[in-house]
Amino acid sequence: MVTLILIGLLGGLITAVSPCILPVLPVVFLAGGTGRGEDAGEPARSPGGAGAEAGGEGGTADDSGAGRTADGAVATAPPLAPARAPRNLRPYAVVAGLVVSFAFFTLLGVTIISALGLPQDILRYVGLGLLVLIGLGLILPPVERLLEKPFARLPQRQVNKEGGAFALGLGLGLLYVPCAGPVLAAITIAGARGEISSDIVVLTLSFAVGTAVPLLLFALAGRRVAERVAAFRRRARGLRIAAGCLMIALAVGLALDVTAAIQQSLPDYTSGVQKKIEDSDAARQQLSGLYDNSNKELSRCEDGADELRSCGQAPPLEGIDSWFNTPGNRPVDLKSLRGKVTLVDFWTYSCINCRRAVPHLRDWERAYRDAGLRVIGVHSPEFAFEKKRSNVVSGAEKLGVTWPVALDNDLTTWDNYRNRFWPAKYLIDADGTVRYFKFGEGEYDKTEKMIRELLRQADPAVVLPKPTGRAMDDLASDRTPETYLSNLRIRGYVGTPLVDDRPAVYRFPKGDLPVDKLSLDGTWTAGYEKFTAGKDARLAFTYRAKNANLVLAGTGKVTVLVNGEATRTVSVTGSPTLYRLTDDEDARTARLELRLDEGLQAYVFTFG
């Protein structure tokens, strides 16, 4: 049980700092400092004025506020101490509401909706409505008082006053769509089936608490800024209006799916550590109770293996609610695809990780369909609103998904494949055997290599086109590929052997660096997810492309040299962001050298 709690806490912590929750962070930050009255910086007043209750028993009070005793003498009352302003509890109320609604409706939402016969996406609409109402409440005080009325019967005055903040948290919890790993997948599956055990409740609560900690810190930071910065106190009313407008804008952005474009443009900088923790041996053992012993052969193979293996017969596509992108929306039987190579992709249309993977699937489907590849999307929903067929069809159309899609609303096929991730890709050979699978994003070049090998095995005479060569964006086949700065995923590295997870001194190799090769100099810490610059840190990379880009985080500067000449200085600040290092009109081969300030973190190179 202790291990389960730790897995849930760590999974929640990772989720709360992932790119998927970025849209709610500004709202959480501003919500911490947008209280009414004394919370907004107004001075507190004593309850009854300066002269209230100054007289003793049986006496009267004159205009000066002094009381008179029964014999007419003037009794001087001690001055009233100024009333202490109540503490602004909005940060706690917002995060508490988010955690309560997210945990409750993730586990019980599907059961409640089914029992009441409501539309599957009703909770999303309720969340959007609450967000708009709270935004209007911040702009229009009468609306806020109306929202606080349901909490008026609670005995604690301060709790009652924060009712609007709690309602805001409830709304955000209904709209909260974090990146899904094995922990959240376990919770979601249990909730979808109504199989609520004590272990699942503990896992859900620990995950929710882990998620709450970073969000609470963010909300408390907003409160502190509002309390300490004079400009915020003087403009408390304007701040409330701005927060209200932001909440309404967020609701509109979520309804129109605008926020997804922002999320898709950012690298999934938490995927490495998420996989390391949530897909560890300890986590698998704890979460293994969710799966029965059927199709256990799939456990013989490992995620992203370096060679094709035999992982057992491909399980059938069962329990499918409906299909689309097929003739007459008729179902597809895997047995009918014998002789072809089949890629089964588990996805869900609101998952940012899945969205970023779709362009690669599009490329493969176009490039290799004539050679015998068939792509099938199994849409296994993470949340209730993703079960609605029209939502999925619309989402697939926007993403350019043209291959057959099966709506696995009851997660039966997900179970058959013992799956734990969105997205997940399973390659099935011409004889119907699973030969390879890849969980999550990345390693697209390896997956494409496996597709090509299986196509050649199915038909030795097949003529294959050139590899698609897509990294995170559209790259020509002669461009330097995307390169991760990860001690396990790096490719093309030459020089001093990498030392895992601790500072070490590196030296550039003598002579020129070949094309697509990189090396380090100075002090670096080479980690699973990123490389961190130490004293005199330098990085050299011989690349071919029109432009070179690098995801960086931290605070400091990077001096960029191309072929030995300094071309620009890049100022880095904040969370991981893509920075342009070079920009030429035509592709060229050049030696790139970076000199990084100590403490900067480098994640991944991309080239265009």
Side-chain angles (χ1 to χ4, degrees), residues 204-216:
T204 303
L205 293 177
S206 59
F207 181 88
V209 170
T211 299
V213 172
L215 294 178
L216 178 59

Side-chain angles (χ1 to χ4, degrees), residues 34 138 232-245:
T34 52
L138 289 172
F232 278 81
R233 296 199 300 272
R234 290 194 303 269
R235 297 177 175 85
R237 178 63 186 152
L239 178 65
R240 288 169 56 77
I241 293 175
C245 293

Side-chain angles (χ1 to χ4, degrees), residues 206-230:
S206 59
F207 181 88
V209 170
T211 299
V213 172
L215 294 178
L216 178 59
L217 292 176
F218 212 73
L220 289 173
R223 184 183 74 177
R224 186 173 181 84
V225 169
E227 291 175 345
R228 298 300 177 90
V229 179

Side-chain angles (χ1 to χ4, degrees), residues 301-363:
C301 293
E302 62 185 29
D303 168 31
D306 291 328
E307 58 185 14
L308 294 172
R309 300 181 182 179
S310 178
C311 312
Q313 196 69 14
L317 307 180
E318 294 180 326
I320 301 302
D321 179 80
S322 60
W323 288 77
F324 64 90
N325 287 347
T326 65
N329 292 330
R330 292 189 294 272
V332 175
D333 187 349
L334 287 182
K335 292 181 180 179
S336 68
L337 299 179
R338 296 288 172 84
K340 306 289 184 182
V341 174
T342 306
L343 189 159
V344 175
D345 175 54
F346 286 87
W347 71 298
T348 181
Y349 78 89
S350 73
C351 167
I352 296 302
N353 313 77
C354 301
R355 289 170 181 248
R356 283 198 287 251
V358 165
H360 301 274
L361 294 169
R362 280 204 309 265
D363 285 354

Side-chain angles (χ1 to χ4, degrees), residues 128-405:
L128 291 171
L130 272 177
L131 204 58
V132 171
L133 283 175
I134 299 297
L136 290 174
L138 289 172
I139 299 171
L140 306 171
V143 177
E144 184 175 38
R145 288 193 289 271
L146 183 65
L147 290 171
E148 291 176 352
K149 275 189 176 182
F151 301 90
R153 297 183 181 276
L154 296 177
Q156 292 87 2
R157 175 179 173 80
Q158 185 65 18
V159 173
N160 302 345
K161 185 178 177 187
E162 305 302 347
F166 185 76
L168 169 62
L170 293 176
L172 289 176
L174 293 173
L175 300 170
Y176 189 50
V177 185
C179 299
V183 172
L184 186 54
I187 296 169
T188 303
I189 293 168
R193 296 178 185 148
E195 299 172 353
I196 313 301
S197 65
S198 59
D199 284 350
I200 285 295
V201 172
V202 167
L203 186 65
T204 303
L205 293 177
S206 59
F207 181 88
V209 170
T211 299
V213 172
L215 294 178
L216 178 59
L217 292 176
F218 212 73
L220 289 173
R223 184 183 74 177
R224 186 173 181 84
V225 169
E227 291 175 345
R228 298 300 177 90
V229 179
F232 278 81
R233 296 199 300 272
R234 290 194 303 269
R235 297 177 175 85
R237 178 63 186 152
L239 178 65
R240 288 169 56 77
I241 293 175
C245 293
L246 178 63
M247 291 177 194
I248 295 173
L250 174 61
V252 173
L254 289 170
L256 299 178
D257 211 21
V258 174
T259 56
I262 301 173
Q263 294 168 312
Q264 283 178 246
S265 65
L266 296 172
D268 189 12
Y269 46 81
T270 58
S271 61
V273 66
Q274 180 188 51
K275 188 171 181 181
K276 201 169 187 178
I277 291 174
E278 296 189 35
D279 201 34
S280 64
D281 291 339
R284 288 183 188 180
Q285 184 177 358
Q286 290 293 322
L287 302 177
S288 61
L290 296 171
Y291 307 95
D292 56 31
N293 287 324
S294 61
N295 305 317
K296 200 170 182 178
E297 296 85 358
L298 289 170
S299 300
R300 294 196 311 235
C301 293
E302 62 185 29
D303 168 31
D306 291 328
E307 58 185 14
L308 294 172
R309 300 181 182 179
S310 178
C311 312
Q313 196 69 14
L317 307 180
E318 294 180 326
I320 301 302
D321 179 80
S322 60
W323 288 77
F324 64 90
N325 287 347
T326 65
N329 292 330
R330 292 189 294 272
V332 175
D333 187 349
L334 287 182
K335 292 181 180 179
S336 68
L337 299 179
R338 296 288 172 84
K340 306 289 184 182
V341 174
T342 306
L343 189 159
V344 175
D345 175 54
F346 286 87
W347 71 298
T348 181
Y349 78 89
S350 73
C351 167
I352 296 302
N353 313 77
C354 301
R355 289 170 181 248
R356 283 198 287 251
V358 165
H360 301 274
L361 294 169
R362 280 204 309 265
D363 285 354
W364 298 336
E365 203 271 342
R366 283 197 296 258
Y368 300 116
R369 180 173 180 80
D370 290 344
L373 177 68
R374 295 294 181 266
V375 178
I376 295 177
V378 178
H379 188 275
S380 301
E382 183 180 357
F383 299 100
F385 66 86
E386 294 170 329
K387 290 187 173 185
K388 188 174 181 180
R389 179 184 170 88
S390 60
N391 289 349
V392 183
V393 172
S394 175
E397 184 177 349
K398 290 177 182 177
L399 291 170
V401 173
T402 57
W403 46 89
V405 176

Side-chain angles (χ1 to χ4, degrees), residues 39 143 518 558:
D39 293 348
V143 177
L518 74 144
V558 178

Side-chain angles (χ1 to χ4, degrees), residues 16-37:
V17 296
S18 68
C20 298
I21 56 91
L22 291 179
V24 306
L25 288 185
V27 172
V28 171
F29 181 83
L30 287 176
T34 52
R36 262 194 304 123

